[in-house]
Amino acid sequence: MSTVQEIKVEKLSMKREFYHLIINGEKVESTSGATFKTYNPATGEVIAEVSKATKEDAEKAIQAARNAFDHGKWRKYPINKRSRILNKIASIMQARFNELVELEILDTGKSLHAAQGQVMQAIEDFEFYAGAIVGHRGSVNPVPGQFQNYTEKEPVGVCAQIIPWNYPLMMAAWKIAPAIAAGCSVIVKPATLTPLTAIILGEICLEAGVPEGVVNIVPGSGSEVGNYLVEHEQVDKVAFTGSTPIGKNIMARASQTLKRVTLELGGKSPNIVFEDADLDAAVDGSLFGIFYNTGQSCEARSRLYVHEDIYEEFVNKFVEKTKKLKLGNPFDKETHVGAIIDQNQVDVIDNYVKSAIEDGADILVGGKPAKIEGFEQGFWYEPTVIANVNHDMKVVNEEIFGPVVVIMKFKDEKEAIKLANDTEFGLGSAVWTKDGARATRIANQIQAGIVMVNCPFSAFPGTPFGGYKQSGFGRELCIETLDLYTETKSIISYYGSRPLNPFGL
Ligand code: NAP
Ligand code: MG
């Protein structure tokens, strides 16, 4: 994540109470007139009312996106013009930085520090793709005889983009920026729990000059709107970030129309600390690795493996620092850990912790919903460290998606690799050691899309982000993402002077 300078957020400067859908370049209400409320997880209060898209609205958005793609000008713009508009989106976001930070905090309950970094990264994503698209081009390939072959990259078409609640703006940016850079049209379905910043981003795209129908935003339920987009024959691609079970379901249904599919799914990422690591850096990085964004990160390093020689010392330091983490007012710059997205998620986390206790594990710190003075109606969970666990336990195998980490010992490199790879997931991983050769050996053997070496950060604009195994496939945030939003057309021509007569007749 990017680090940004501290800024003062004017609390509640945002006064808007109603948010529209964006379809075909216009802010519209749902055809059904339905609405839903969005809540501040830190306080439990209603923030705003949002128009609720239905299948009819999804159909309108698909037709708008289809029309923009098939008959519109966006994909035909010279690349530098598209690039300029992406930069304009970034500069409008920058001008509205505080508003976006504030809205993201209100809608998710995340800390000021986390929200600032994520809004900054969303801006940088548009800047990155504004540059990257200029260099994204086809190839000229060697062919025998008097033939010539070159390839062209053409936008894949209408893309449904379904995003989760944990990084609402950043996920919207990861999806929209490369797709529109490539010349596609998009229909974004934000998570019902956190629709606000994606709607604002849609408005910003229009203000920056993205033509009507190219970016449509349809907040509505996954089972209705999401399903409809996934199954529709006029949608060419679906890009999904969310849980592994829903990802599998989407892949199965998208297969009926052979949609292109990109899936960014769950994780249970290992974090390996060797005896020669810089202990303080490893403790601080491991703490950030799990408790950043209140543990609601797909690449949260939720399995911590520590070499037996330093286990006691590491665990003591780690637990002490966990106790120092400050939960509370998300707008307070001192707050490290924000709220949990809703009561349902608090219950999910708590049930995992209870299952660990039943399985005989030890709770070293935390272990229950947190009570925060002044935020009693919000949803909170104590940062929790669980030891004395093994790989048969649910808490070690399944994604919890909350501020809960399990710690285990290992004795050597071989065992560390075996334990790290003993999972159905393969998104993130981290290794802490001063031995460069060992770090390389570990990186070579880890079955995961991302390896962090002595580093607590998993993603910068330009670095590929995505999973192995059941963490999904396809990479976002990088140059190759553009390949996932384009088709490669191969053009073969003959330049000989004698006509060809392949049948010899
Ligand atoms: P989720 O329940 O899978 O939902 C994700 C999105 O899919 C939401 O917009 C949801 O809509 C929609 N959806 C639900 N059912 C659908 C269906 N049948 N068809 C189409 N869309 C449907 O995940 P979540 O609980 O929001 O997010 C947490 C999960 O996301 C975690 O597992 C996490 O690891 C993963 N995640 C992965 C990455 C990554 O890059 N790999 C990044 C962030 C999060 P509604 O909820 O509005 O109904
Ligand atoms: Mg909310």
Side-chain angles (χ1 to χ4, degrees):
M1 299 300 144
S2 316
T3 44
V4 291
Q5 291 204 331
E6 194 183 297
I7 56 149
K8 196 166 173 348
V9 170
E10 301 301 322
K11 223 173 136 187
L12 298 182
S13 65
M14 189 269 319
K15 289 278 186 279
R16 198 154 140 195
E17 283 164 5
F18 191 84
Y19 287 76
H20 291 85
L21 316 176
I22 298 176
I23 298 177
N24 206 26
E26 292 188 4
K27 288 157 72 170
V28 294
E29 289 190 29
S30 160
T31 336
S32 69
T35 62
F36 65 98
K37 292 181 171 58
T38 186
Y39 294 84
N40 177 350
T43 61
E45 289 164 353
V46 174
I47 312 165
E49 192 148 359
V50 183
S51 200
K52 183 172 192 237
T54 58
K55 282 182 194 164
E56 289 70 34
D57 302 305
E59 179 63 35
K60 283 185 185 167
I62 293 168
Q63 293 318 321
R66 194 73 260 168
N67 190 46
F69 187 77
D70 293 340
H71 310 294
K73 51 197 175 185
W74 180 248
R75 62 181 290 200
K76 299 188 190 115
Y77 278 174
I79 282 182
N80 61 340
K81 184 165 178 182
R82 287 211 298 267
S83 170
R84 207 179 307 134
I85 292 175
L86 263 81
N87 274 320
K88 180 105 187 273
I89 294 169
S91 59
I92 299 173
M93 289 171 81
Q94 185 73 62
R96 294 173 68 173
F97 185 82
N98 283 8
E99 178 197 350
L100 287 166
V101 168
E102 180 182 310
L103 262 190
E104 197 74 329
I105 293 173
L106 287 172
D107 216 4
T108 62
K110 65 178 69 203
S111 69
L112 173 67
H113 193 265
Q116 285 182 338
Q118 291 160 27
V119 173
M120 197 61 226
Q121 206 222 61
I123 294 169
E124 290 166 356
D125 294 340
F126 279 92
E127 291 170 342
F128 172 74
Y129 283 109
I133 194 60
V134 176
H136 188 246
R137 52 176 84 96
S139 56
V140 177
N141 301 299
V143 277
Q146 293 176 306
F147 298 95
Q148 191 185 41
N149 174 242
Y150 67 95
T151 66
E152 283 184 346
K153 298 284 185 185
E154 294 186 352
V156 79
V158 171
C159 305
Q161 304 185 310
I162 301 173
I163 57 179
W165 47 257
N166 57 343
Y167 297 109
L169 181 71
M170 215 170 71
M171 289 299 114
W174 284 25
K175 299 271 182 288
I176 297 174
I180 67 172
C184 295
S185 302
V186 303
I187 303 142
V188 178
K189 198 211 83 63
T192 313
L193 288 168
T194 56
L196 302 184
T197 46
I199 296 174
I200 298 287
L201 180 55
E203 294 176 11
I204 290 174
C205 289
L206 292 175
E207 189 187 336
V210 176
E212 62 187 30
V214 174
V215 174
N216 304 275
I217 316 280
V218 287
S221 95
S223 52
E224 182 178 353
V225 173
N227 258 334
Y228 193 78
L229 295 170
V230 167
E231 289 179 1
H232 204 287
E233 58 183 14
Q234 292 189 55
V235 173
D236 303 298
K237 173 180 169 111
V238 55
F240 170 80
T241 297
S243 59
T244 297
I246 305 276
K248 288 179 183 177
N249 176 291
I250 285 178
M251 186 170 167
R253 282 179 299 115
S255 72
Q256 295 310 302
T257 45
L258 274 184
K259 283 184 180 48
R260 281 75 185 117
V261 177
T262 305
L263 299 174
E264 302 273 12
L265 308 176
K268 191 78 184 175
S269 301
N271 186 0
I272 308 170
V273 184
F274 281 97
E275 68 281 11
D276 66 344
D278 175 328
L279 199 66
D280 289 328
V283 168
D284 293 338
S286 303
L287 208 66
F288 186 84
I290 179 63
F291 297 124
Y292 173 71
N293 214 49
T294 322
Q296 301 170 123
S297 288
C298 46
E299 86 293 7
R301 273 73 80 202
S302 50
R303 290 183 293 140
L304 185 43
Y305 299 102
V306 182
H307 191 273
E308 57 187 13
D309 288 355
I310 55 159
Y311 183 82
E312 297 301 330
E313 191 184 357
F314 182 95
V315 170
N316 287 339
K317 286 192 171 200
F318 190 82
V319 167
E320 278 321 300
K321 287 222 165 164
T322 301
K323 287 180 184 161
K324 287 189 182 150
L325 289 170
K326 190 162 175 282
L327 278 73
N329 185 359
F331 283 99
D332 185 342
K333 65 179 169 39
E334 307 296 333
T335 295
H336 301 111
V337 180
I340 303 293
I341 196 69
D342 64 3
Q343 185 58 43
N344 179 49
Q345 193 63 20
V346 170
D347 294 342
V348 167
I349 297 166
D350 204 40
N351 283 334
Y352 273 112
V353 172
K354 284 181 176 143
S355 81
I357 296 169
E358 276 164 28
D359 289 341
D362 297 331
I363 311 295
L364 303 186
V365 56
K368 58 183 188 308
K371 299 254 177 292
I372 310 290
E373 207 187 319
F375 293 85
E376 288 81 3
Q377 305 307 313
F379 315 114
W380 301 87
Y381 206 87
E382 294 177 351
T384 299
V385 181
I386 307 180
N388 192 21
V389 293
N390 63 53
H391 273 224
D392 296 330
M393 294 182 188
K394 245 169 76 162
V395 78
V396 178
N397 286 308
E398 297 179 16
E399 182 178 47
I400 299 174
F401 223 59
V404 179
V405 67
V406 294
I407 307 196
M408 276 159 280
K409 260 182 220 176
F410 69 89
K411 63 176 185 307
D412 56 21
E413 261 180 61
K414 197 170 163 219
E415 188 183 21
I417 285 291
K418 185 165 172 288
L419 291 168
N421 286 339
D422 181 21
T423 169
E424 68 187 24
F425 298 111
L427 189 55
S429 63
V431 55
W432 301 87
T433 174
K434 284 185 189 147
D435 179 343
R438 170 188 271 163
T440 305
R441 285 193 298 276
I442 297 288
N444 284 345
Q445 294 173 82
I446 288 267
Q447 294 158 354
I450 303 147
V451 186
M452 289 158 262
V453 178
N454 298 323
C455 169
F457 303 122
S458 60
F460 299 95
T463 60
F465 192 98
Y468 279 30
K469 304 200 282 191
Q470 294 196 33
S471 291
F473 51 81
R475 294 294 178 269
E476 293 191 305
L477 202 60
C478 59
I479 294 212
E480 62 197 89
T481 313
L482 292 171
D483 288 331
L484 303 177
Y485 283 103
T486 47
E487 297 281 12
T488 299
K489 182 175 277 175
S490 171
I491 296 116
I492 303 166
S493 58
Y494 170 65
Y495 59 86
S497 52
R498 287 216 322 241
L500 294 172
N501 179 5
F503 275 131
L505 291 173

